[in-house]
Amino acid sequence: MNLKPGVGKTTSAVWLAHALHESGMSPLLVDGDPAASALRWSELANGFPFPVIALPVGDVHRRVNDFLGNRQAVVLDAPQLEDHPRIARSIMRYAGEWIVPVTPAPIELDRMAPIRGEMADVQSLRAEPARAAVLLNRTNRPDATRTGPDADAREALTEGGFEVLDTQIARLDLYSQSFGNPVQAKGSAYMDFAEELIKRQEAA
C-alpha cells in the first residue's frame, strides 16, 4: 500500500505471489485496484499458477475469506490511498502485514508522514495491530549498503519510526519491464522478500 500510484505496488504484489508459490505455498492474489492491473497482467501472461481475483470494493475485509479455500497466503494489491481510500483502508483492515514500497528519493520520503497517519487510523479499527514495514524499491544497488542514497533513505525512514525490511529491490528492467509477462521469481530479490515475510510471520 502507498498514498500514490507508480511506486511498484502491483509489481511487488505479483512478484511476491509468484515467490510464495515457488516456495511451495498456495497463494491467492487479490487485485483491489479499480485499474485491475494485476488481473490484466495475469491475462496477458496466459494465467498465473495461482488464482487472481478482482475485488475493488470497500468491504474487502469482509469478502476475501469467501475466496480463500485452502490457500496458505493472501497477497492484496491495494490501490493508492489518495484516490481510493475506502478500498485501501478495507484491505489494511484485513491484511496482517502492510508493506509500503518506497523509492529512495527525497520526494518519496517526504510523503511518508501522511502514510504513518493513515496507518494509525486503520490500526484503531483492528482487533489486533498489523505489522508494517517499508520495502525499499528501485534502489541503486541490489543489497543494503552503509553509504549512498539507499543507506540514507533507510536511515531516514528508521529515524521516522518505520521498520525497513532487510530485503531491497534493485532498479532492474527484469522487474520494471515484466508487466504482462510470465514471472519466475527463483533467484530474484523477491524470493528473499518472500522468505523475510515468512520469517516475520513465524516470529509473530
Side-chain angles (χ1 to χ4, degrees), residues 57-172:
V57 294
D59 61 345
V60 180
H61 62 287
R62 294 192 181 98
R63 299 176 61 179
V64 171
N65 286 347
D66 294 339
F67 301 91
L68 268 184
N70 60 354
R71 298 284 148 187
Q72 297 168 293
V74 184
V75 179
L76 301 106
D77 183 16
Q80 59 268 24
L81 270 158
E82 63 183 6
D83 294 329
H84 305 285
R86 190 161 174 253
I87 301 172
R89 288 170 184 156
S90 179
I91 286 174
M92 292 169 69
R93 288 182 69 175
Y94 180 86
E97 179 101 49
W98 301 340
I99 303 298
V100 186
V102 176
T103 302
I107 191 170
E108 300 295 337
L109 299 177
D110 191 53
R111 293 189 172 106
M112 294 303 290
I115 290 177
R116 186 168 51 199
E118 290 283 354
M119 287 179 170
D121 288 345
V122 179
Q123 291 283 29
S124 68
L125 302 174
R126 295 175 54 96
E128 296 181 4
R131 298 179 301 280
V134 170
L135 173 68
L136 282 178
N137 189 36
R138 300 172 186 158
T139 58
N140 299 277
R141 297 179 183 177
D143 301 308
T145 58
R146 293 185 178 181
T147 59
D150 299 345
D152 293 344
R154 185 177 289 275
E155 182 179 358
L157 287 162
T158 301
E159 290 178 353
F162 291 95
E163 184 174 359
V164 184
L165 295 173
D166 293 333
T167 306
Q168 60 186 47
I169 311 298
R171 186 186 300 274
L172 297 174

Side-chain angles (χ1 to χ4, degrees), residues 15-27 73-75 191 194 198:
W15 277 80
L16 172 60
H18 278 84
L20 291 170
H21 171 77
E22 293 177 27
S23 297
M25 302 184 75
S26 53
V74 184
V75 179
M191 284 299 290
I198 291 169

